[in-house]
Amino acid sequence: KNQVEQSPQSLIILEGKNCTLQCNYTVSPFSNLRWYKQDTGRGPVSLTIMTFSENTKSNGRYTATLDADTKQSSLHITASQLSDSASYICVVSAGSNSGYALNFGKGTSLLVTP
Amino acid sequence: AAGVIQSPRHLIKEKRETATLKCYPIPRHDTVYWYQQGPGQDPQFLISFYEKMQSDKGSIPDRFSAQQFSDYHSELNMSSLELGDSALYFCASSLLVAGDLYEQYFGPGTRLTVT
């Protein structure tokens, strides 16, 4: 069972609008949570990374929040651009050794239209 | 800035053949990870190496093996290929950011098609 659940599965918004993507996880023990942007057929690119002690982190127009108590995270995109069209993947890491693996959500497919 | 390099970018093989995928991590990165992403699926962790030693093992089939060499590049060897092995294979390398927090950087992937 996937331990990282994302919603919505897909989203269509107009250019310039804001949107918020959701992520719920059950991965334990929790180490950190990341949001990645993945263009079709390309490797994921990291947007933000947060440990349990952080509850918000921004990267340009991207702002991620984390509630470690409820095990929820969100990614807010402001003033969307056509180039934001991609899959946004929530990734949760467990453990703290150097070889730990990432638990991927299935992603939210975002389409920004003119 | 240098990124993770994977080769080949595309590979077509027939069932029961073997394939070797290569990954060249970002210089000074000491950990390499391999992921398999099937069509419409999220990436699944296969295996990782830290300082040339296997550090973690995920859902890697017994038909697959991997190693990390002295120059830190890694190879994923796949034998007796099956149609279900058709996927995008990502390699990532990581760098210690702070404390025990590692940031993983992904390569562009190798698209393997088994016919």
Side-chain angles (χ1 to χ4, degrees):
Chain A
K1 185 180 184 303
N2 197 312
Q3 300 181 72
V4 182
E5 301 291 340
Q6 292 188 241
S7 62
Q9 187 174 19
S10 61
L11 184 62
I12 301 175
I13 62 173
L14 291 175
E15 184 179 12
K17 297 296 185 182
N18 304 334
C19 66
T20 300
L21 315 179
Q22 302 292 339
C23 173
N24 297 327
Y25 63 91
T26 58
V27 176
S28 181
F30 172 82
S31 176
N32 56 77
L33 184 145
R34 312 149 188 256
W35 282 94
Y36 283 87
K37 177 184 178 185
Q38 184 177 22
D39 293 306
T40 302
R42 307 289 294 275
V45 175
S46 179
L47 297 176
T48 64
I49 180 170
M50 292 182 290
T51 63
F52 73 94
S53 61
E54 300 174 285
N55 54 28
T56 186
K57 182 162 284 189
S58 292
N59 177 2
R61 295 180 295 102
Y62 302 102
T63 298
T65 65
L66 172 65
D67 186 332
D69 291 330
T70 61
K71 298 186 177 181
Q72 296 179 327
S73 176
S74 66
L75 180 69
H76 187 72
I77 304 175
T78 59
S80 61
Q81 301 175 359
L82 298 179
S83 59
D84 291 334
S85 296
S87 180
Y88 290 83
I89 306 174
C90 175
V91 183
V92 179
S93 177
S96 61
N97 61 65
S98 62
Y100 58 77
L102 303 179
N103 297 280
F104 286 75
K106 294 193 178 298
T108 291
S109 180
L110 174 66
L111 177 62
V112 180
T113 62
Chain B
V4 176
I5 298 172
Q6 290 188 246
S7 68
R9 293 294 311 277
H10 302 274
L11 189 59
I12 299 175
K13 290 286 186 178
E14 294 185 355
K15 283 197 314 183
R16 294 180 288 278
E17 285 191 319
T18 61
T20 297
L21 310 185
K22 297 184 179 182
C23 169
Y24 298 86
I26 294 172
R28 292 183 298 281
H29 282 197
D30 53 20
T31 306
V32 169
Y33 311 77
W34 285 97
Y35 292 87
Q36 177 191 56
Q37 185 174 29
Q41 302 295 315
D42 51 294
Q44 296 295 315
F45 170 68
L46 294 178
I47 195 168
S48 64
F49 292 87
Y50 170 68
E51 285 291 344
K52 292 156 280 184
M53 299 290 290
Q54 180 181 310
S55 54
D56 199 3
K57 192 172 182 179
S59 54
I60 185 169
D62 292 339
R63 299 177 290 107
F64 294 6
S65 65
Q67 58 182 325
Q68 186 179 31
F69 294 86
S70 57
D71 63 352
Y72 292 95
H73 94 272
S74 178
E75 295 185 1
L76 177 66
N77 299 293
M78 312 160 70
S79 62
S80 302
L81 287 170
E82 302 173 356
L83 295 179
D85 296 329
S86 295
L88 195 55
Y89 290 83
F90 288 110
C91 169
S93 69
S94 70
L95 173 70
L96 181 62
V97 176
D100 61 0
L101 186 61
Y102 283 77
E103 176 62 271
Q104 291 194 20
Y105 296 82
F106 284 80
T110 293
R111 182 169 295 283
L112 172 66
T113 302
V114 181
T115 62

